[in-house]
Amino acid sequence: MTSVLDLAPVIPVVVIEDAADAVPLARALVAGGLPAIEVTLRTPAALDAIRAIAAEVPEATVGAGTVISTANVDAAVSAGSRFLVSPGWSERLLESMQGSGRPFLPGVSTVSEVVTLLERGVSEMKFFPAEAAGGTAYLKSIAGPLPQARFCPTGGISRMSAPAYLALPNVGCVGGTWMLPPDAIATKDWSRIESLATEASQLSAPQG
């Protein structure tokens, strides 16, 4: 993997309550054209879900989200995560992610954080919470002075707003949940999720 940001225009941010849902959900997302899947470490089922996807859906690139500690890094890598995503970072967490051997996206929401990461050789980041932290206007304003930084904005992004983010030169992809309606997961409506994933995979910057 050269870059998490180049796998697909959208990375689904998945919260799995039942590990039994992990494989069919991942297969639906992959079939819809979204192979990079971020499973957040917010539930007791998350690590088992990552293990199952890594073992049974080889065409998926499964990663761990909500990585907030060195223990999270170790557990996620052991479970088979191929990339790591954090909502923020500390020096200790950054060192752990850098030593993991996996691509990672540390979360940022300020210019100072971006500059500090660039000083440490990190140029790919998660912009979070994207909408609350300034959205497309914020990212556009820092593209000039910090063109070497690339982002995966996540947080409050919808199918309607995603193309505006993807139009920015410093955005490689966006993270979102809109292709994962809770009622579809609850009823195991994998075909609906595949259809929504297909729509998401075809999103691009608006023309003209």
Side-chain angles (χ1 to χ4, degrees), residues 64-68 84-89 93 97 105-108 126 128:
T66 321
V67 174
I68 58 173
L84 307 169
V85 183
S86 69
W89 63 278
L93 179 58
M97 290 192 292
L105 297 174
V108 299
K126 172 180 178 174
F128 177 83

Side-chain angles (χ1 to χ4, degrees), residues 6 14 32 58 86 102 104 114-115 124 138 154 166 179 195-196:
D6 297 328
V14 182
S86 69
R102 302 292 190 274
F104 62 93
V114 176
V115 171
E124 297 188 345
Y138 188 92
T154 305
L166 294 170
M179 74 296 299
S195 178
L196 291 170

Side-chain angles (χ1 to χ4, degrees), residues 7-146:
L7 292 173
V10 179
I11 295 180
V13 180
V14 182
V15 179
I16 294 182
E17 302 289 348
D18 184 349
D21 292 337
V23 167
L25 176 58
R27 286 176 176 157
L29 292 170
V30 169
L34 299 180
I37 301 170
E38 176 188 334
V39 177
T40 66
L41 301 183
R42 301 180 193 174
T43 68
L47 290 172
D48 285 338
I50 291 171
R51 287 189 192 95
I53 295 170
E56 300 182 47
V57 194
E59 60 271 38
T61 302
V62 63
T66 321
V67 174
I68 58 173
S69 69
T70 59
N72 285 163
V73 172
D74 294 340
V77 171
S78 295
S81 294
R82 294 176 60 187
F83 64 93
L84 307 169
V85 183
S86 69
W89 63 278
S90 66
E91 294 290 350
R92 185 177 180 187
L93 179 58
L94 181 64
E95 182 178 338
S96 181
M97 290 192 292
Q98 286 178 316
S100 71
R102 302 292 190 274
F104 62 93
L105 297 174
V108 299
S109 60
T110 69
V111 172
S112 293
E113 290 174 308
V114 176
V115 171
T116 303
L117 285 174
L118 289 173
E119 286 181 342
R120 285 156 175 72
V122 178
S123 61
E124 297 188 345
M125 311 166 198
K126 172 180 178 174
F127 178 55
F128 177 83
E131 287 288 282
T136 55
Y138 188 92
L139 288 173
K140 185 177 180 179
S141 70
I142 67 174
L146 300 170

Side-chain angles (χ1 to χ4, degrees), residues 176-202:
T177 61
W178 72 87
M179 74 296 299
L180 300 160
D183 62 321
I185 296 176
T187 59
K188 304 187 190 304
D189 191 349
W190 311 126
S191 62
R192 181 181 171 200
I193 289 174
E194 179 180 341
S195 178
L196 291 170
T198 298
E199 291 181 0
S201 72
Q202 295 169 355

